[in-house]
Amino acid sequence: MKRNFLLNKNGKLIMSFLMIQILFFNFIYSSSSQITPCPRFPVGSYVTQPLNIKSSGGYLDIRLDYRNRTNNENGDGMFFCYMFGNSQSPTLRIQPGDKILFGLTNNYYSGDDINNNNHNHHKNSDDNNSNTRPTINIEINMSNSNSCGSNQITSSSINVHFHGTHTSPACRRDEVIRTIINHGESFTYDLLIPKNQAPGLYFYHPHFHGTAESTMQGGASGVIVVEGIENIQPAVAGLPEQILVFRDNVLPSNQEDKPDAPAWDVSVNYIPIPFPDYTPALISMKPQQKQFWRIVNSAADLILNLQLEYDGVIQSFEIVSLDGVPITTKD
């Protein structure tokens, strides 16, 4: 779900949902030749914004590196992300009618472990004998006529879905059934965003059947902003903007058996808000400032019920967009 919001400290918030449009990060890391892929912020950190990549002259040409690493913070599961230099999961900002050349190299380093992110129990799981689901080793050959990219499916196979965009489901467009990108392979998507695409909030994420949940819960998602919402909702014009990306995460195994444990942990802009303390991430605002918040629920399974509280008082929102579409339009 996405939404857009506006907020001042007195409780006025203009909000829009698809992926709820609220806050987003800008991760800019030190330029080191030995960067750690898929970095995470400490619990209780201030929310920061991801790197913005903007289209120019009707094109956005980007090359991303699909990476992962072991979750050393609590030792459970994997972290996944799209690296752009030293930055993680950049925001793609485009205009209606733009073309996106989205290049992706699959540098996932250990395909046998991809499903370990699904170790945590679900409350209604049939697997009651173990907290760890078995690793799934996959190798399937497809005919060349049925495949897009590789014709072999392995444990490290990935593809990308451009959620909410009205683009073609053909090969090298927004196709998620036959598109296969294996470890060490590169693939370029060639997407034409329609001129009538509603301005608002969308997102990109893995959609390879069998591993999509694991990779999304590991953090592999990023935002797409189709510009121009201020032309439909003038109230947001010129306002400071934040994008918040909510993700569900694997619950640490040492927390799973607690009677009040949730099915998943949650994070916002890669800042964990873990059970049982739920230490909040911090958002910095000036007094009396009004802001435009864009909120994305890019979780694999988590359903969010949102409420804004300030000094113990519940605040009101003004919604300007829902599911990427401004609420004043017939769509």
Side-chain angles (χ1 to χ4, degrees), residues 162-205:
F162 301 88
H163 195 109
T165 62
H166 299 168
T167 52
S168 168
C171 180
R172 296 196 178 273
R173 274 54 168 183
D174 193 13
E175 201 289 317
V176 297
I177 304 300
R178 299 179 297 109
T179 302
I180 305 169
I181 313 167
N182 288 325
H183 173 74
E185 296 177 347
S186 295
F187 187 90
T188 298
Y189 289 87
D190 186 346
L191 303 168
L192 179 62
I193 303 299
K195 291 184 178 180
N196 63 353
Q197 180 81 49
L201 191 64
Y202 305 89
F203 74 108
Y204 59 93
H205 64 85

Side-chain angles (χ1 to χ4, degrees), residues 21-221:
Q21 295 198 36
I22 292 187
L23 287 178
F24 209 112
F25 312 117
N26 248 341
F27 293 116
I28 301 181
Y29 304 101
S30 60
S31 56
S32 167
S33 59
Q34 298 295 326
I35 63 169
T36 298
C38 310
R40 297 295 183 264
F41 292 106
V43 172
S45 295
Y46 277 93
V47 168
T48 60
Q49 295 291 296
L51 180 68
N52 284 311
I53 306 296
K54 298 181 179 180
S55 65
S56 177
Y59 288 88
L60 190 151
D61 191 344
I62 189 168
R63 298 290 181 266
L64 297 177
D65 192 11
Y66 183 78
R67 300 288 299 276
N68 73 312
R69 69 175 174 90
T70 301
N71 176 359
N72 295 318
E73 279 74 353
N74 59 33
D76 293 319
M78 285 278 183
F79 290 149
F80 296 87
C81 65
Y82 302 95
M83 295 296 294
F84 181 71
N86 294 344
S87 299
Q88 174 177 215
S89 303
T91 299
L92 311 183
R93 305 191 76 104
I94 59 174
Q95 302 288 337
D98 278 353
K99 175 175 280 196
I100 302 176
L101 296 175
F102 186 100
L104 185 65
T105 298
N106 182 356
N107 279 318
Y108 173 63
Y109 74 83
S110 180
D112 291 343
D113 295 329
I114 194 167
N115 283 287
N116 287 346
N117 251 15
N118 274 331
H119 81 87
N120 66 311
H121 71 284
H122 294 253
K123 300 299 184 181
N124 297 320
S125 174
D126 293 331
D127 181 10
N128 296 318
N129 299 319
S130 173
N131 286 333
T132 303
R133 299 188 182 201
T135 294
I136 301 176
N137 294 309
I138 306 171
E139 186 169 329
I140 301 174
N141 291 316
M142 299 175 63
S143 68
N144 289 330
S145 61
N146 289 328
S147 63
C148 177
S150 177
N151 65 352
Q152 184 180 55
I153 299 174
T154 72
S155 308
S156 63
S157 299
I158 60 168
N159 57 32
V160 181
H161 174 45
F162 301 88
H163 195 109
T165 62
H166 299 168
T167 52
S168 168
C171 180
R172 296 196 178 273
R173 274 54 168 183
D174 193 13
E175 201 289 317
V176 297
I177 304 300
R178 299 179 297 109
T179 302
I180 305 169
I181 313 167
N182 288 325
H183 173 74
E185 296 177 347
S186 295
F187 187 90
T188 298
Y189 289 87
D190 186 346
L191 303 168
L192 179 62
I193 303 299
K195 291 184 178 180
N196 63 353
Q197 180 81 49
L201 191 64
Y202 305 89
F203 74 108
Y204 59 93
H205 64 85
H207 204 290
F208 199 84
H209 292 184
T211 59
E213 181 187 36
S214 298
T215 52
M216 289 186 69
Q217 289 189 336
S221 58

